[in-house]
Amino acid sequence: MISFIIALLVLIGGYFIYGTFVDRILDIDDKRKTPAYTMTDGIDYIPMPTWKVFLIQFLNIAGLGPIFGAIMGVMYGPSAFLWISLGTIFAGAIHDYVSGMMSIREGGASLPEIVGEQLGGKIKQIMRVFALVLMILVGAVFVINPAQLIAGLTPETFDTQFWIIIIFIYYILATLLPIDKLIGNLYPIFGFALLFMAIGIFCVLIFNLEYIPEFTEGLYNRYPDPEKHPIFPMMFVSIACGAISGFHATQSPMMARCIKSERLGKRVFYGAMVAEGIVALIWAAAAIAFFKGNFSELINYLGGNSAAPLVNEISISWLGKLGGLLAILGVIAAPITSGDTALRTARLIASDFLKFKQNTIVRRLIISLPIFVLSYFIMQINYQILWRYFGWCNQALSVFTLWAITVYLARKNKMYFITLIPAVFMTMVCVTYIIFAPEGFTFDNIIADYVVAKYPSFANIRIDYWISIGIASIISAILVLLFYRNIKKHRINDRLC
């Protein structure tokens, strides 16, 4: 009980204390006009009420991660509570907030343009492709899961395939129409469902706090095979959206084009991430409390499958049929409101680097049509494979963003350590993961199957855990040296000018 409450207080207190500290570092200027006013176009650049901007940002970033990821992540014990609270305050919220403010000050520029401005033209080209592919991947992933959930609530006539078509049609409309028409009007409804879900589960959780693990019980791994699921790096990828997620930085520029004042940046970007961290913390605690603190029962129930059935059972058992239905609608709203804006962001990224104006529906359709076609074909790939690679790609994107933010702060002679430390840490996480995890170089993935078919001797190769960490440490150290070299060169050029 005490550990959960401490983690919750850290999230709330972190917003007011550390968020204000970051505010001062960024030199927030309330008199500086935002792109919503300087570049108004009635399509993507539209001044919107702060509550709507916050709600859209929150729903954009709150996909399945803070719910499903947190449920899977609680198998790492109380360590999950530490990562959700500290990761949100010192990594995820800063990542979202500073990238959002950078976009505001660069005319609502999309993430690849922001990163490229700081890390160079070659990285910009890589980021354009990487971010565009990730957005299409998110759009595809977040069609399938909500379609399955809705199909379970409706008559058999309306099967999963039917709801995939309906959701995808909605995504097309959300991508093409002005942001204040469909997204701006539907999100308050989705927001109510998501907030009801979180508040409802929290209220019941209060009466089950004795089943939540404490820090004093130890931060060790609760998986039955901990050597295959080491806390580092696995937990930090499993619990992504509930602590830090590269996907979020792709969404911040969308609201950077609608926010009315720099002063509201902390409330919208930092605040939305803290709200998502609270949702993740609630679901992580609820998952283990539902099984009365028994981790074995939780892992047996999940059985390596999706957490969707457990979410459904917890919602119905704790909130009754009506309350459970509203809670499940909140769970459905979370991925849908990430999937629609992911495809919209893909359109913005493509139009930004192609310098192709989006002032008419025809011009928006020209950019969007290839995106829709690619999304459709990606949806034909096995969902489990998509989700596994999405997790790593998502965190890899956060690494690029954190390094770009760090360079930006250093060039402005600001306190860059607030993002340098998270950048180094997440670099270690991502490199270790891709070397050690089955999805990476351990020859237990779809690419490796092809290699093993030709070279059977590779079948039993698995890179040692500590070697993986060693390689990650070396790569991280090299990046730190390159960072300081870049900053030194930049300052010398400034003096010469």
Side-chain angles (χ1 to χ4, degrees):
M1 176 181 74
I2 295 175
S3 300
F4 173 78
I5 292 173
I6 289 173
L8 184 61
L9 291 176
V10 166
L11 283 168
I12 297 171
Y15 169 78
F16 291 103
I17 300 171
Y18 200 65
T20 302
F21 172 69
V22 177
D23 238 7
R24 293 174 180 171
I25 292 175
L26 293 177
D27 289 334
I28 298 301
D29 184 359
D30 201 26
K31 296 179 181 179
R32 187 185 288 125
K33 286 191 174 182
T34 63
Y37 293 109
T38 60
M39 302 174 69
T40 305
D41 65 359
I43 306 297
D44 299 307
Y45 292 85
I46 301 175
M48 294 179 68
T50 304
W51 70 270
K52 274 194 176 183
V53 174
F54 170 83
L55 205 54
I56 293 173
Q57 175 71 8
F58 173 52
L59 289 168
N60 284 353
I61 65 177
L64 292 171
I67 302 171
F68 289 14
I71 289 173
M72 299 297 293
V74 79
M75 284 302 302
Y76 294 99
S79 299
F81 299 156
L82 283 178
W83 171 233
I84 290 171
S85 56
L86 299 179
T88 293
I89 295 302
F90 296 107
I94 290 180
H95 168 275
D96 296 6
Y97 181 25
V98 182
S99 63
M101 295 307 299
M102 288 169 67
S103 180
I104 288 175
R105 293 174 181 179
E106 294 180 25
S110 57
L111 182 64
E113 312 308 307
I114 294 170
V115 172
E117 183 70 23
Q118 306 303 324
L119 302 183
K122 291 182 180 179
I123 297 296
K124 180 188 287 188
Q125 299 305 325
I126 294 172
M127 279 294 294
R128 282 170 171 171
V129 176
F130 191 80
L132 194 58
V133 170
L134 182 62
M135 291 305 95
I136 295 172
L137 186 62
V138 170
V141 167
F142 288 168
V143 168
I144 299 168
N145 212 291
Q148 291 173 338
L149 287 169
I150 298 174
L153 299 173
T154 54
E156 292 183 5
T157 308
F158 304 112
D159 60 4
T160 300
Q161 193 61 41
F162 171 82
W163 288 110
I164 284 176
I165 294 170
I166 296 299
I167 293 171
F168 198 65
I169 290 172
Y170 163 72
Y171 282 6
I172 291 172
L173 294 174
T175 301
L176 296 174
L177 294 176
I179 194 165
D180 63 337
K181 301 303 181 189
L182 189 58
I183 291 176
N185 289 320
L186 278 180
Y187 271 45
I189 300 171
F190 289 145
F192 169 76
L194 190 59
L195 290 174
F196 176 87
M197 172 202 70
I199 294 171
I201 296 297
F202 175 74
C203 289
V204 179
L205 187 62
I206 292 174
F207 298 99
N208 293 274
L209 290 178
E210 70 268 24
Y211 300 118
I212 300 173
E214 302 287 357
F215 298 139
T216 52
E217 296 175 19
L219 302 178
Y220 64 91
N221 196 334
R222 266 60 169 189
Y223 271 102
D225 50 353
E227 68 284 348
K228 289 185 179 180
H229 300 87
I231 290 179
F232 185 91
M234 299 305 193
M235 181 181 73
F236 302 96
V237 174
S238 296
I239 306 176
C241 293
I244 180 171
S245 165
F247 171 69
H248 295 185
T250 66
Q251 302 302 292
S252 293
M254 191 183 305
M255 289 301 96
R257 304 180 186 203
C258 300
I259 197 168
K260 291 182 177 180
S261 166
E262 283 195 0
R263 174 177 50 84
L264 302 172
K266 172 191 164 189
R267 193 181 309 173
V268 170
F269 301 120
Y270 202 101
M273 182 62 235
V274 170
E276 185 178 23
I278 291 173
V279 171
L281 186 66
I282 289 171
W283 274 103
I288 190 59
F290 184 73
F291 291 99
K292 314 248 183 244
N294 192 316
F295 285 95
S296 297
E297 287 187 15
L298 172 59
I299 195 64
N300 288 336
Y301 184 98
L302 293 173
N305 299 315
S306 168
L310 178 57
V311 169
N312 180 65
E313 189 168 341
I314 290 176
S315 300
I316 299 295
S317 299
W318 283 9
L319 303 177
K321 288 187 177 180
L322 179 59
L325 178 61
L326 287 173
I328 294 167
L329 288 177
V331 175
I332 292 170
I336 288 178
T337 54
S338 291
D340 59 1
T341 51
L343 294 187
R344 189 181 184 92
T345 300
R347 172 176 68 79
L348 297 177
I349 290 172
S351 63
D352 278 357
F353 75 73
L354 291 173
K355 309 296 182 187
F356 194 77
K357 289 186 177 180
Q358 299 288 280
N359 55 323
T360 68
I361 189 72
V362 174
R363 295 177 74 86
R364 296 196 291 277
L365 191 58
I366 290 171
I367 290 290
S368 301
L369 194 57
I371 293 171
F372 297 148
V373 172
L374 284 172
S375 298
Y376 173 78
F377 282 110
I378 289 175
M379 280 191 289
Q380 311 310 308
I381 301 173
N382 181 278
Y383 175 78
Q384 295 300 327
I385 294 173
L386 284 179
W387 185 255
R388 284 163 60 185
Y389 284 96
F390 164 72
W392 179 82
C393 290
N394 185 33
Q395 295 303 64
L397 188 61
S398 74
V399 171
F400 280 101
T401 305
L402 284 169
W403 280 110
I405 292 172
T406 304
V407 171
Y408 170 81
L409 292 175
R411 287 177 174 176
K412 298 288 185 181
N413 293 316
K414 302 297 181 183
M415 192 178 295
Y416 59 83
F417 283 101
I418 63 171
T419 52
L420 175 61
I421 294 172
V424 173
F425 180 77
M426 290 308 299
T427 301
M428 286 281 296
V429 167
C430 288
V431 175
T432 304
Y433 184 90
I434 201 61
I435 294 174
F436 178 77
E439 294 85 357
F441 302 144
T442 57
F443 289 89
D444 185 20
N445 57 61
I446 53 176
I447 298 174
D449 288 343
Y450 174 78
V451 176
V452 171
K454 285 199 168 186
Y455 307 99
S457 58
F458 281 84
N460 297 318
I461 288 181
R462 185 179 183 89
I463 299 176
D464 181 76
Y465 175 66
W466 291 105
I467 292 177
S468 302
I469 291 180
I471 295 172
S473 300
I474 292 170
I475 291 175
S476 299
I478 291 172
L479 289 177
V480 171
L481 291 174
L482 290 174
F483 163 73
Y484 279 108
R485 180 185 174 188
N486 177 288
I487 295 306
K488 183 178 179 181
K489 182 179 178 181
H490 179 78
R491 288 174 177 169
I492 290 173
N493 290 338
D494 282 350
R495 286 197 293 268
L496 291 175
C497 292

